Amino acid sequence: MNEFKLSKRLACVAGIINPGGVLADIGTDHGYLPVHVAKNNIASKVIAMDVRKKPLEKAAENIKLYGVSQKVELRLSDGLYKLAENEADTITICGMGGKLIQSILENGSSKISENTQLILSPQSEIREFRKYLSESGYETVKEYMISEDGQFYVIIDCRRNGYKNELICTGETEKEVYYRYGEELLKEKNKSIREYLLRELRISQGVRNKLENINNDKIAGRLKELDFDLECIKYALEFYK
């Protein structure tokens, strides 16, 4: 049997899970996270769920291959639909767009209590997703960012508290920066977010340099957007000085 190795991102997710409870992994794909969690006795039971049949079939092969069939249950489910209320202590949703994760949370809200640990890793629309969480009764406990194979991944450990969690900011630019890049990540001087910011600075400045000598209304609007992007990036980088 080949040695089982989890990706850096999923290893980070696994390390956040509160031990000893029931884990529901939504969009489990090939079941790598459930296999790792079961093999290492992180959860007493894992419910691996996916809306697609073929990934679940591959997950079933992996679960059998690594001898964790007694601990992992597979369910064909659209989001949280086939999860019972209060069935899971921890819910993980990773590798989807922010809007899709938001939809899953909203459609499955009855399955989430204030005691449910939510570990969420949106791969796009991250700024909008942070804003959604803060305005929709979810409190961020801890946020992580890691880099792997040239990609950057955000992982959010949060809880549903039912209150609107307003950002405490000195101005609109600071609020926008926190939504874009994560208040805690910046304040703790996370190394991966700094790498990400420097990359975004190079890209945005490069695009602006190419467009600045073109004279039309559409380009003027785009330049204004780029200037604000650059303002936010430079504001965020000030945390590292």
Side-chain angles (χ1 to χ4, degrees):
M1 184 187 301
N2 295 330
E3 183 67 25
F4 184 81
K5 186 177 180 181
L6 210 58
S7 69
K8 187 176 178 182
R9 176 177 62 156
L10 290 182
C12 180
V13 171
I16 302 168
I17 296 169
N18 290 334
V22 175
L23 168 67
D25 183 41
I26 313 304
T28 195
D29 198 36
H30 292 174
Y32 297 131
L33 181 63
V35 168
H36 175 86
V37 168
K39 278 175 61 69
N40 291 277
N41 298 310
I42 296 171
S44 59
K45 177 183 176 181
V46 183
I47 304 166
M49 307 170 74
D50 205 289
V51 72
R52 300 164 298 165
K53 290 183 179 180
K54 287 196 173 181
L56 277 183
E57 291 171 358
K58 184 61 178 178
E61 293 176 11
N62 288 328
I63 288 162
K64 182 178 180 181
L65 177 64
Y66 290 99
V68 292
S69 299
Q70 297 300 313
K71 286 189 174 183
V72 183
E73 177 186 345
L74 294 172
R75 293 182 191 173
L76 185 66
S77 175
D78 186 356
L80 301 172
Y81 181 70
K82 290 190 178 177
L83 187 71
E85 291 184 28
N86 300 314
E87 186 176 15
D89 301 289
T90 298
I91 295 172
T92 52
I93 311 176
C94 304
M96 304 178 195
K99 288 183 180 178
L100 179 54
I101 297 178
Q102 176 182 331
S103 176
I104 290 171
L105 294 177
E106 290 177 346
N107 292 333
S109 61
S110 64
K111 317 297 175 68
I112 303 168
S113 76
E114 61 182 14
N115 296 317
T116 307
Q117 180 187 29
L118 295 167
I119 302 176
L120 313 171
S121 183
Q123 64 182 15
S124 62
E125 299 127 2
I126 296 170
R127 182 256 181 216
E128 291 77 10
F129 188 67
R130 284 194 183 100
K131 189 172 188 291
Y132 164 75
L133 289 178
S134 70
E135 294 179 348
S136 302
Y138 293 91
E139 180 180 8
T140 297
V141 176
K142 177 75 175 175
E143 189 168 338
Y144 306 80
M145 189 178 200
I146 60 169
S147 57
E148 182 174 25
D149 299 328
Q151 299 296 317
F152 294 90
Y153 301 100
V154 169
I155 300 160
I156 303 170
D157 181 5
C158 62
R159 304 292 184 278
R160 183 180 181 182
N161 64 11
Y163 299 99
K164 186 173 181 179
N165 299 287
E166 292 280 3
L167 289 176
I168 300 174
C169 303
T170 58
E172 288 304 311
T173 299
E174 183 179 46
K175 180 181 287 189
E176 181 65 23
V177 166
Y178 287 165
Y179 280 141
R180 290 188 181 203
Y181 310 119
E183 178 180 5
E184 184 178 350
L185 293 175
L186 293 171
K187 288 183 175 179
E188 71 178 19
K189 295 179 171 55
N190 178 278
K191 291 182 179 179
S192 292
I193 193 69
R194 181 176 183 274
E195 293 174 19
Y196 175 79
L197 288 166
L198 291 172
R199 187 188 73 174
E200 292 300 293
L201 179 64
R202 289 193 298 271
I203 293 171
S204 295
Q205 190 63 64
V207 173
R208 198 195 187 291
N209 290 343
K210 289 180 180 179
L211 297 179
E212 63 182 352
N213 293 322
I214 302 174
N215 187 19
N216 67 53
D217 291 340
K218 288 185 179 180
I219 295 300
R222 180 63 181 132
L223 285 172
K224 187 175 180 180
E225 291 174 356
L226 285 165
D227 285 339
F228 186 61
D229 291 342
L230 288 165
E231 179 185 349
C232 289
I233 293 167
K234 291 173 182 178
Y235 190 107
L237 283 169
E238 287 294 317
F239 284 87
Y240 294 87
K241 292 185 177 179

